[in-house]
C-alpha cells in the first residue's frame, strides 16, 4: 500500500494532493481546488507570484495606449527587470536557478521562481522581502517544493545568466 501511495504522489491519480501545485507551486483552481496544496515550511525555493508585468500584458504586442511595442524594447524591459531582480535576490545567497514565467494563465502570469543553494538563504530572502513592494505592487512570496520544474529552465552558472522573454 505504501509503495502504491508513493508511486502516485503528486500525479493526477493522487486524489488528495494537487498535481498542479506539486509541479509548479501554483494551481489554476486557486483556493477552490478540491485537493491539498501542501506548502513546505522551509525550502531552497521561493515563488514570487505575479511579479513580472509585461508592458503588453493586456494585448500581446501592444502597449496600454494601443501602440505596437518593438520586440527589442520588450526584451530590454525584461532584461532590466531580470537584472534588478537578480541583484536584489543575490543579496540573500547564491542563486541556483531563477525563472520568470511568460505564461498567460492567471495562476502563472509573471511568476518568478528562485532556487537558492541553501534553505537558509531562501528563508532569509523570504523574511526580508515579505511586506516589500515592487513597481507599486506588494510582493507575495511563499516557499514551494518545486525543484524539477526549475531545473528545466535557465541556469545560472559561475555567476553568468541568460534571460529572454
Amino acid at each position: 500500500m505504501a509503495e502504491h501511495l508513493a508511486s502516485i504522489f503528486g500525479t493526477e491519480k493522487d486524489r488528495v494532493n494537487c498535481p498542479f501545485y506539486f509541479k509548479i507551486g501554483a494551481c489554476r483552481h486557486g483556493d477552490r481546488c478540491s485537493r491539498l496544496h501542501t506548502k513546505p515550511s522551509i525550502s531552497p525555493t521561493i515563488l514570487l507570484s505575479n511579479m513580472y508585468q509585461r508592458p503588453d500584458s493586456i494585448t500581446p504586442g501592444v502597449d496600454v495606449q494601443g501602440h505596437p511595442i518593438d520586440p527589442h524594447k520588450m526584451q530590454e524591459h525584461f532584461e532590466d527587470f531580470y537584472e534588478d531582480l537578480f541583484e536584489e535576490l543575490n543579496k540573500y545567497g547564491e542563486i541556483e536557478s531563477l525563472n520568470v514565467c511568460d505564461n498567460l494563465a492567471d495562476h502563472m502570469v509573471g511568476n518568478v521562481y528562485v532556487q537558492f543553494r541553501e534553505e537558509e538563504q531562501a528563508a532569509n530572502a523570504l523574511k526580508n522581502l515579505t511586506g516589500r513592494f515592487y513597481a507599486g505592487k506588494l510582493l507575495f512570496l511563499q516557499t514551494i517544493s518545486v525543484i524539477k520544474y526549475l531545473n528545466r529552465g535557465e541556469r545560472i552558472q559561475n555567476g553568468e545568466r541568460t534571460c529572454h522573454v
Side-chain angles (χ1 to χ4, degrees), residues 20-134:
F20 297 110
Y21 193 83
F22 182 73
K23 291 176 191 169
I24 61 173
C27 174
R28 63 183 176 196
H29 303 295
D31 293 337
R32 296 181 321 264
C33 186
S34 62
R35 299 181 190 179
L36 293 178
H37 295 169
T38 306
K39 298 173 183 168
S41 58
I42 189 162
S43 168
T45 309
I46 59 175
L47 165 63
L48 295 100
S49 298
N50 308 112
M51 184 177 182
Y52 178 63
Q53 300 298 311
R54 292 174 51 120
D56 66 344
S57 60
I58 297 171
T59 306
V62 179
D63 67 16
V64 292
Q65 287 84 27
H67 303 105
I69 299 177
D70 178 7
H72 297 307
K73 293 283 186 195
M74 286 287 296
Q75 182 67 28
E76 187 177 306
H77 180 270
F78 177 76
E79 289 175 6
D80 289 344
F81 168 80
Y82 193 94
E83 188 173 324
D84 284 349
L85 183 63
F86 183 85
E87 287 177 10
E88 182 62 29
L89 293 172
N90 202 41
K91 293 175 184 176
Y92 305 106
E94 189 173 347
I95 298 170
E96 288 285 314
S97 181
L98 178 59
N99 293 21
V100 177
C101 282
D102 188 27
N103 189 311
L104 298 177
D106 289 341
H107 67 291
M108 292 198 58
V109 67
N111 282 358
V112 173
Y113 296 84
V114 59
Q115 181 182 9
F116 289 92
R117 182 171 295 278
E118 304 290 332
E119 290 176 340
E120 293 77 19
Q121 296 168 339
N124 188 30
L126 187 71
K127 180 181 119 189
N128 285 288
L129 294 172
T130 297
R132 291 195 38 201
F133 288 78
Y134 183 85

Side-chain angles (χ1 to χ4, degrees), residues 3 7 10 28 47 64 81 115 137 149 154-155 162 165:
E3 285 180 29
S7 72
R28 63 183 176 196
L47 165 63
V64 292
F81 168 80
Q115 181 182 9
K137 287 179 53 181
Y149 174 71
E154 297 171 340
R155 299 285 298 170
T162 59
V165 178

Side-chain angles (χ1 to χ4, degrees), residues 144-162:
I144 56 173
S145 58
V146 176
I147 291 178
K148 276 197 282 186
Y149 174 71
L150 293 173
N151 290 334
R152 292 189 308 185
E154 297 171 340
R155 299 285 298 170
I156 297 168
Q157 297 173 328
N158 303 323
E160 293 184 27
R161 61 193 187 279
T162 59

